[in-house]
Amino acid sequence: MARIIVVTSGKGGVGKTTTSAAIATGLALTGNKVAVLDFDIGLRNLDLIMGCERRVVYDFVNVIQGEANLHQALIKDKRVENLFILPASQTRDKDALTKEGVGRVLDELKAMEFDFIICDSPAGIETGALMALYYADEAIITTNPEVSSVRDSDRILGILDSKSLRAENGLPAVKQHLLLTRYNPSRVTNGDMLNVTDVEEILRISLLGVIPESQSVLNASNKGEPVILDKESDAGQAYADAVARLLGEDRPFRFLEEEKKGFFKRLFGG
Ligand SMILES: Nc1ncnc2c1ncn2[C@@H]1O[C@H](COP(=O)(O)OP(=O)(O)OP(=O)(O)O)[C@@H](O)[C@H]1O
Ligand SMILES: [Mg+2]
């Protein structure tokens, strides 16, 4: 049975698309059949991060409107087996995503025996974001360690508990995972950012991962390669840990402390 996971946040620009690409790729690398869906109609970021933007012919809205089928629209990843991307339309209006249409696409994906369906949500709490979370079994609440981001995440938690299909049908609640992204330990030490415990205490959901603020994320996105494929990078390793936890493994958290400067660095700066 497919696990439908929405990557959501409320606040924009916190790292949802980066996370969707990394987690979907990580799950496929561990042998799962994965589809990652871009709900951000009009923006189309996911295909850029996944490096398949030139191969987009049909998109999510084409499938919903019956102009193409899923086999035509799904893009098979070149690097990783069993990983498929359903891109968003760049031009259509946001109302093109309907509950009925999205439901049909998800049912078809389930019938194609996907293990995971990752839904990359747009920012905010408008139609696109509501569509992305409506059918979810689980949610990755992507949050930056700052007050405005935590506040908007809290808001999304309320929406998951009241406006999801699970809530409507009185089923067990959407399972909520906290993913802290762009975590910068030195800024936490300086008091510019909230620490992990602060955020956990406010949101009170279980911690899936802490992704450090990292240049490797920018490098990866410039190359069109999900950062999890950069196995040397701190952010890539932190995402791999999060994927392992999603699969039930217990892993210690890393990259929470400021990197200790070595003798030469202390001496010469840098
Ligand atoms: N761990 C990180 N370290 C450094 N930069 C990051 C990290 N995560 C994300 N970013 C950067 O933050 C910006 C926003 O990331 P991303 O597009 O994934 O966010 P988003 O939540 O999907 O945005 P939107 O709400 O617009 O969809 C990008 O420039 C991305 O490279
Ligand atoms: Mg995005």
Side-chain angles (χ1 to χ4, degrees):
M1 197 53 187
R3 282 165 71 179
I4 302 179
I5 306 181
V6 61
V7 179
T8 185
S9 69
K11 189 175 192 303
V14 293
K16 294 181 294 296
T17 301
T18 303
T19 296
S20 300
I23 300 259
T25 304
L27 287 167
L29 283 171
T30 46
N32 295 285
K33 185 173 173 184
V34 184
V36 55
L37 279 48
D38 191 350
F39 280 76
D40 207 344
I41 302 299
L43 276 180
R44 264 188 60 187
N45 265 327
L46 183 66
D47 49 315
L48 290 172
I49 304 279
M50 298 292 298
C52 65
E53 71 279 6
R54 284 183 302 274
R55 289 194 286 147
V56 175
V57 178
Y58 293 116
D59 58 56
F60 203 163
V61 174
N62 288 132
V63 178
I64 285 184
Q65 298 188 339
E67 295 154 353
N69 64 40
L70 263 180
H71 298 280
Q72 294 173 287
L74 282 174
I75 300 174
K76 192 175 175 352
D77 191 83
K78 276 195 219 162
R79 299 153 296 217
V80 182
E81 273 293 297
N82 288 324
L83 175 60
F84 297 83
I85 301 111
L86 184 59
S89 147
Q90 211 162 15
T91 51
R92 318 260 188 145
D93 75 294
K94 294 181 197 285
D95 298 328
L97 294 182
T98 58
K99 260 186 201 170
E100 186 274 328
V102 172
R104 218 172 349 103
V105 169
L106 291 174
D107 283 344
E108 267 186 64
L109 287 169
K110 284 185 195 165
M112 289 162 82
E113 297 190 330
F114 278 94
D115 299 304
F116 287 91
I117 301 170
I118 307 295
C119 304
D120 180 18
S121 175
I125 49 168
E126 310 297 315
T127 315
L130 295 179
M131 286 302 146
L133 67 78
Y134 184 70
Y135 293 97
D137 301 310
E138 298 171 51
I140 295 177
I141 316 294
T142 314
T143 308
N144 292 162
E146 49 184 53
V147 173
S148 64
S149 175
V150 175
R151 197 190 302 126
D152 288 358
S153 290
D154 213 12
R155 196 148 185 225
I156 277 291
L157 291 178
I159 291 175
L160 284 165
D161 285 336
S162 55
K163 292 202 169 183
S164 60
L165 179 65
R166 283 177 168 270
E168 275 180 17
N169 290 350
L171 292 169
V174 177
K175 189 171 178 190
Q176 299 159 343
H177 310 274
L178 172 62
L179 187 75
L180 265 177
T181 53
R182 311 197 69 162
Y183 197 75
N184 185 331
S186 55
R187 295 194 61 195
V188 171
T189 309
N190 295 342
D192 297 337
M193 284 187 162
L194 302 171
N195 67 30
V196 179
T197 323
D198 293 337
V199 182
E200 278 185 292
E201 273 176 6
I202 302 170
L203 295 178
R204 300 215 169 265
I205 55 177
S206 74
L207 187 63
L208 179 69
V210 180
I211 313 298
E213 170 84 22
S214 170
Q215 177 66 33
S216 63
V217 172
L218 237 67
N219 299 345
S221 98
N222 287 338
K223 278 198 285 184
E225 260 188 29
V227 68
I228 199 165
L229 292 175
D230 181 356
K231 297 204 166 71
E232 304 295 310
S233 70
D234 49 359
Q237 292 174 15
Y239 273 119
D241 288 347
V243 167
R245 291 186 198 107
L246 262 185
L247 295 170
E249 219 180 285
D250 202 8
R251 286 213 183 169
F253 289 89
R254 299 189 269 175
F255 315 112
L256 302 186
E257 305 295 333
E258 232 173 308
E259 203 186 322
K260 295 268 183 311
K261 284 194 176 165
F263 175 71
F264 286 103
K265 272 196 176 167
R266 260 185 287 143
L267 206 59
F268 301 112

